[in-house]
Amino acid sequence: MENRYFKITLFLMFFLSSVFISCSKFLDVNPISEIPEDKMWRNQREVRSGVNELYSSFRAAVQGNLFAWGELRSDNFVVTTDGTSVNQRLINNQLTNDLSVTNWGGLYKTISNANYAIQYIPISEMPSEEDKNDYLAQAYAMRALAYFYAVRIWGDVPVHLEPVKELGNAVFKDRTPKDEVLKNVIFSDLKKAESLINSSNLERKRISKAGILAIQADVLMWMEDYEAADQVIGRLKTLPARWGFQPDMDKMKFTFTTDLNRKIGDDKPNLDEYGSGVNELIFVVHFDLEEDVTSQIYSLFSGSLLLSPKLRNTFITIGNSIPRDIRADNYIRQPSSAPGEFRMHKYAANGSDIPNTSFGNCEIAYPIYRFTDILLMEAECKARMDKFQDALNIISSTVRTRAKVATTTRVASSFASREDLIDYILDERQIELIGEGKRWFDLVRTKRAVKVMEPINGMNSDSQMLFPLNFNILLRNANIKQNPGYN
């Protein structure tokens, strides 16, 4: 092995992020730490530490961004007061390249951490080849997930599949077309991960086989390969029932308010910390609400985000229906102090408020994937294959049964076209997955963003479906050009 030093602060993050906002030359910035590569990744303890850092970097990357990237640009929310806050600018389609949510640096740090893991885990000394492969699978899957977020947000992105150990032209790459990244990087990594993962890994805070298949299905939806996505979902549904649909709304609410709260890691991948029963959660990321009071997730609890007039009317309608759709009782709330306001209340017990003084004790896990999300993807796959009744059967037997309105599910003959049925499925996704960072991605993936958002905020170009690139990215890499429609 070459006796060479590499930076665990990762050059890649430095070049592609806006963490360092000064105009000083990059050679003037010193790394925080240097460790000889023959002093890392040598044994199981060090591999576990490196993989822990991989998850930590992903958590840091998405902490203040998950909700902003996946939901705030959609037709779900408005802010309580007018202003120039990030939330307001996202909702009003007034994005500029100085906003923190336009920075992909955190995702590239995750990618770089994964690259180190992928290079060095195979040559580490571990007593179990099965454990080694399982760690390697997690690294491949997390690299895929980070790239998946990147292409959904910015489109074409630079691809780095090896650690960046030295300064040089390698870090100044051009952007690779999104479709190539989806097929040749993201999906390829996920297939490698599937072949390596230990099926006895039952983690929900880490990637398991269920998590790998969930990401695969989502990626295939973006690739518009609906038959393949349907097959992957079929494989996911054959996994042990601990990953499954929860038909009882009270238990589903318990998942959001209790199972997502303060679950302590156990470092035992074959032990499910969420219990032995059926649980919808497939992959989650934990946050303490007091960690970052500027995050959009915090806004859900602080009351600064309200349901948009459109979504408010949707919940009024389903709440007044006969039979009553009980998602109106469990996913939203009208505070007694402001009865005209409708707030997303999925992560708090019904009828309760979370005072600001309690935020430090409110640790939640944000669901990246849960089982109902996958089932609604399956319904869309069936619709895309013109299996209208199969699609409706999935919806009726799952989300609408749990919501007590299965009998009011529309019949296949009531849909004039495939697109009409897909709109119906997307409406179910909007109601069911509110607050889970899905709606904006659904609008972009199905090419409905402009149609839905133009009457709301004036979005009138498909190019606006992408986020702008942060100005620091452009300053540091002359090969990268801004996305169309932004300065």
Side-chain angles (χ1 to χ4, degrees):
M1 185 181 298
E2 296 174 331
N3 186 15
R4 182 181 298 162
Y5 285 75
F6 67 90
K7 299 172 174 55
I8 64 172
T9 48
L10 307 174
F11 291 126
L12 186 55
M13 178 193 178
F14 173 75
F15 286 103
L16 298 177
S17 76
S18 61
V19 172
F20 303 103
I21 60 175
S22 73
C23 293
S24 35
K25 295 180 180 179
F26 59 82
L27 289 177
D28 296 333
V29 181
N30 295 319
I32 296 173
S33 162
E34 292 182 346
I35 299 178
E37 63 182 50
D38 62 355
K39 302 297 183 184
M40 285 188 66
W41 304 101
R42 297 169 300 179
N43 52 47
Q44 182 158 333
R45 179 182 63 82
E46 292 174 358
V47 167
R48 183 168 61 239
S49 178
V51 173
N52 286 344
E53 175 57 27
L54 170 57
Y55 283 104
S56 179
S57 61
F58 179 76
R59 178 182 180 277
V62 302
Q63 180 175 329
N65 294 321
L66 271 177
F67 195 64
W69 288 338
E71 195 144 0
L72 269 184
R73 296 193 67 193
S74 76
D75 54 341
N76 277 2
F77 293 98
V78 296
V79 294
T80 53
T81 58
D82 291 333
T84 58
S85 68
V86 173
N87 290 357
Q88 183 76 67
R89 291 165 70 179
L90 286 164
I91 290 169
N92 288 347
N93 192 35
Q94 296 173 337
L95 279 74
T96 53
N97 65 10
D98 60 328
L99 298 179
S100 61
V101 295
T102 66
N103 174 26
W104 63 29
L107 290 174
Y108 273 94
K109 180 177 181 182
T110 301
I111 290 165
S112 193
N113 282 342
N115 287 341
Y116 277 104
I118 289 166
Q119 177 159 324
Y120 290 107
I121 288 175
I123 59 176
S124 65
E125 295 183 1
M126 294 177 62
S128 167
E129 194 71 18
E130 192 174 60
D131 287 346
K132 178 186 289 190
N133 287 340
D134 190 65
Y135 283 122
L136 188 58
Q138 293 179 57
Y140 274 115
M142 289 305 296
R143 182 169 75 177
L145 184 58
Y147 272 122
F148 189 36
Y149 270 101
V151 298
R152 286 182 292 175
I153 297 161
W154 292 284
D156 304 344
V157 296
V159 171
H160 296 262
L161 300 179
E162 296 180 355
V164 178
K165 301 179 183 179
E166 295 179 343
L167 301 179
N169 293 330
V171 297
F172 299 113
K173 288 190 173 184
D174 292 331
R175 297 163 76 178
T176 298
K178 177 187 74 173
D179 290 345
E180 290 184 27
V181 182
L182 282 168
K183 179 181 178 181
N184 299 329
V185 178
I186 298 171
F187 194 71
S188 175
D189 275 359
L190 291 169
K191 293 301 291 182
K192 290 176 184 175
E194 185 185 359
S195 70
L196 293 166
I197 197 71
N198 186 340
S199 295
S200 67
N201 180 342
L202 306 178
E203 289 277 10
R204 301 179 197 267
K205 294 179 183 176
R206 293 173 180 264
I207 290 292
S208 63
K209 185 171 184 177
I212 291 168
L213 293 178
I215 305 168
Q216 274 190 33
D218 203 359
V219 170
L220 287 166
M221 298 289 284
W222 280 77
M223 293 168 63
E224 300 183 6
D225 191 343
Y226 302 109
E227 290 191 14
D230 186 56
Q231 292 169 7
V232 168
I233 292 169
R235 299 211 312 274
L236 174 55
K237 291 169 68 177
T238 65
L239 295 180
R242 68 178 58 252
W243 291 290
F245 176 74
Q246 174 52 255
D248 186 287
M249 178 59 80
D250 289 340
K251 292 180 179 178
M252 185 71 254
K253 186 68 175 180
F254 182 88
T255 295
F256 286 125
T257 60
T258 304
D259 268 350
L260 290 178
N261 184 40
R262 307 189 73 79
K263 289 289 184 180
I264 299 173
D266 51 36
D267 285 332
K268 297 178 181 177
N270 60 346
L271 178 65
D272 184 2
E273 67 264 44
Y274 290 88
S276 58
V278 175
N279 193 300
E280 288 237 349
L281 304 177
I282 295 175
F283 180 50
V284 299
V285 177
H286 275 244
F287 299 104
D288 186 318
L289 291 184
E290 204 172 46
E291 287 178 311
D292 182 2
V293 297
T294 65
S295 76
Q296 287 74 32
I297 294 174
Y298 175 98
S299 301
L300 289 175
F301 291 87
S302 65
S304 61
L305 286 173
L306 304 179
L307 266 63
S308 68
K310 176 184 175 181
L311 193 53
R312 179 190 64 202
N313 291 338
T314 295
F315 272 97
I316 289 174
T317 298
I318 68 172
N320 290 335
S321 65
I322 300 174
R324 178 180 176 83
D325 191 321
I326 62 174
R327 287 176 291 189
D329 304 312
N330 290 277
Y331 292 174
I332 66 162
R333 179 167 179 259
Q334 298 180 71
S336 57
S337 59
E341 295 181 354
F342 283 67
R343 299 178 184 175
M344 205 285 293
H345 210 65
K346 182 181 282 183
Y347 301 110
N350 291 341
S352 68
D353 277 319
I354 302 178
N356 290 2
T357 54
S358 299
F359 280 6
N361 295 319
C362 188
E363 179 183 320
I364 68 165
Y366 195 77
I368 306 298
Y369 288 100
R370 66 177 173 100
F371 209 81
T372 298
D373 180 12
I374 305 304
L375 292 176
L376 289 171
M377 288 185 202
E378 182 184 27
E380 185 181 335
C381 289
K382 301 298 187 186
R384 299 281 185 181
M385 295 184 286
D386 292 327
K387 299 178 180 179
F388 283 24
Q389 194 57 56
D390 289 348
L392 291 169
N393 289 345
I394 292 169
I395 293 171
S396 178
S397 64
T398 57
V399 294
R400 295 188 67 81
T401 291
R402 183 167 61 203
K404 308 297 186 186
V405 290
T407 58
T408 63
T409 305
R410 287 175 58 183
V411 298
S413 60
S414 68
F415 296 96
S417 66
R418 178 195 300 170
E419 292 302 312
D420 190 18
L421 175 54
I422 291 170
D423 283 338
Y424 182 73
I425 296 168
L426 292 176
D427 288 345
E428 285 294 331
R429 284 182 62 85
Q430 184 176 26
I431 295 168
E432 178 62 33
L433 302 176
I434 181 175
E436 299 183 43
K438 303 292 181 176
R439 177 62 174 174
W440 174 249
F441 290 145
D442 280 348
L443 293 178
V444 174
R445 177 178 59 79
T446 60
K447 301 176 178 60
R448 284 162 165 78
V450 171
K451 176 183 176 181
V452 169
M453 298 308 300
E454 185 171 15
I456 297 172
N457 62 20
M459 178 182 292
N460 57 16
S461 169
D462 286 348
S463 66
Q464 294 175 323
M465 292 192 294
L466 298 176
F467 280 59
L469 299 174
N470 191 273
F471 72 95
N472 276 283
I473 296 169
L474 305 177
L475 287 174
R476 286 178 165 79
N477 188 348
N479 294 323
I480 293 179
K481 306 303 179 184
Q482 182 60 274
N483 278 330
Y486 300 103
N487 296 322

